[in-house]
Amino acid sequence: METIISACISAGVTLLICMINNHGQQEKTRALMEYKLDELTKRVDKHNNVIERTYKLEQEYEVQHEQIKVANHRIEDLEKKGE
C-alpha cells in the first residue's frame, strides 16, 4: 500500500513539474514568435514603401518622357520653319 501511495505522489509531482515546464516553454515560444512577426512586419512595410516609391518614379518617368517627346516635336517644327 505504501508503494502505491509513494508512486502516486511521485507521479503527481512529476506531472506538476511537467506542466510548469511546459507553461514556461510556451511563454518563450510565444515571445519568440511575436518577435519574429514584428520583424517580418517591419520588412514587409519596408518592401511596400519601396514598391510605392518605384511606382511614383515610373509615373514621373512617363510624364518626363512625354514632355521630352513634345519638346522634340516643337524643335522639329521650329527647324522646319527656319528652312
Side-chain angles (χ1 to χ4, degrees):
M1 188 65 175
E2 290 178 14
T3 307
I4 294 173
I5 293 173
S6 176
C8 288
I9 292 172
S10 294
V13 169
T14 303
L15 180 62
L16 181 64
I17 290 172
C18 285
M19 290 174 61
I20 291 170
N21 188 28
N22 284 341
H23 179 69
Q25 289 296 325
Q26 286 177 350
E27 291 296 318
K28 289 178 184 177
T29 301
R30 186 179 57 78
L32 179 62
M33 289 176 67
E34 286 178 4
Y35 170 75
K36 287 184 175 185
L37 185 60
D38 289 341
E39 291 300 312
L40 182 60
T41 301
K42 289 176 187 176
R43 291 177 73 186
V44 168
D45 288 342
K46 192 174 185 179
H47 171 75
N48 288 343
N49 188 22
V50 169
I51 296 298
E52 290 173 8
R53 287 176 36 211
T54 301
Y55 179 71
K56 287 178 184 177
L57 288 172
E58 288 174 347
Q59 285 181 328
E60 290 175 9
Y61 171 78
E62 289 299 323
V63 169
Q64 290 174 355
H65 184 68
E66 188 63 31
Q67 289 173 342
I68 290 170
K69 285 168 94 176
V70 169
N72 285 337
H73 285 293
R74 287 182 182 171
I75 291 170
E76 286 176 11
D77 289 345
L78 290 173
E79 287 176 345
K80 287 180 184 177
K81 269 188 180 180
E83 292 178 356

